[in-house]
Amino acid sequence: MNDQNEPRFRIRARHTESTITVYQAYRPEIGGPAARHGRFPSSWKRDRMTWIKPSFLWMMYRCGWGTKEGQETVLAVEISSEGFLWALRNACLSHHVPALHGDRADWKRQLRQAPARVQWDPERDLHLNPLPHRSLQLGLAGEAAARYADEWIVGIEDVTPLATEVHALVRAGELDAAAGLLPEERPYPVQGEVLAGLCA
């Protein structure tokens, strides 16, 4: 993970031939039922943007190992690769890049119309320090959020106990043991043109 040769932009994830696992963190009233039933409860807001993250350690950075208020239940959500790729193909980069988007007004129009948005943030190490390469965050709204909740989900697992265990090992200085528990995240195969306008 600290490899200096790691490309700056690359999706790394736990995946199979037909699925990819992403992470989210919710308050227990949403996360608990979601993990038990394999779908989000009716209290899950479809009209809000929801962000999915293929990186376990970036999720740990975001939710403080499941200790931040409202993010106490960490979920591993296995979704179809077909759905994930649909979101990427219909996504807009979350920040304006003149070389890609032309003027700012055009980009803002694209952003408003796109059901998904892409953001790249520094990947994290076990101490949650930033690394030189980037980790994908994918925001889903409107049609994308509805498809995510209703069509793409294959399974939902509560991985809060894993987060707690890894965190305890990190705090104890047992980094090799902590690293051994991390989900195996490998480069995710995606055709170059899919990411062409999303890497900047």
Side-chain angles (χ1 to χ4, degrees):
M1 191 139 37
N2 292 291
D3 186 357
Q4 295 301 307
N5 296 320
E6 180 70 26
R8 182 172 171 82
F9 299 104
R10 178 156 72 178
I11 300 170
R12 291 165 300 278
R14 181 177 152 200
H15 59 88
T16 69
E17 284 188 14
S18 59
T19 67
I20 179 171
T21 296
V22 296
Y23 298 94
Q24 296 192 288
Y26 290 99
R27 62 182 190 274
E29 306 89 86
I30 288 182
R36 282 194 300 274
H37 303 298
R39 59 184 296 119
F40 290 109
S42 56
S43 55
W44 189 81
K45 297 286 190 277
R46 293 163 179 275
D47 55 351
R48 292 176 57 185
M49 177 164 286
T50 188
W51 288 87
I52 59 176
K53 307 156 184 71
S55 166
F56 180 81
L57 284 175
W58 204 94
M59 185 72 258
M60 295 306 99
Y61 165 72
R62 182 71 181 84
C63 71
W65 299 99
T67 63
K68 290 186 181 177
E69 185 177 355
Q71 299 186 63
E72 299 92 343
T73 305
V74 185
L75 300 178
V77 185
E78 189 177 16
I79 63 173
S80 70
S81 289
E82 187 180 349
F84 183 73
L85 290 171
W86 182 93
L88 286 177
R89 288 192 177 100
N90 289 277
C92 179
L93 199 57
S94 64
H95 63 278
H96 177 240
V97 179
L100 288 176
H101 304 122
D103 68 37
R104 185 171 288 271
D106 283 346
W107 163 73
K108 283 191 171 179
R109 190 160 45 250
Q110 287 177 42
L111 196 65
R112 275 196 307 273
Q113 293 171 350
R117 62 183 58 177
V118 161
Q119 185 172 307
W120 297 92
D121 295 292
E123 181 58 283
R124 301 283 158 167
D125 64 16
L126 278 166
H127 292 291
L128 306 185
N129 296 315
L131 293 171
H133 51 280
R134 298 277 163 159
S135 178
L136 175 85
Q137 329 301 324
L138 187 56
L140 309 175
E143 182 184 358
R147 284 179 177 237
Y148 172 61
D150 297 332
E151 300 173 20
W152 301 346
I153 294 175
V154 174
I156 302 178
E157 180 187 358
D158 182 348
V159 291
T160 313
L162 174 64
T164 302
E165 187 176 2
V166 174
H167 188 206
L169 288 169
V170 171
R171 291 171 67 187
E174 298 182 34
L175 299 186
D176 287 344
L181 292 178
L182 294 176
E184 184 189 356
E185 293 171 3
R186 299 172 290 120
Y188 181 77
V190 57
Q191 293 176 332
E193 75 269 12
V194 175
L195 291 179
L198 300 172
C199 293

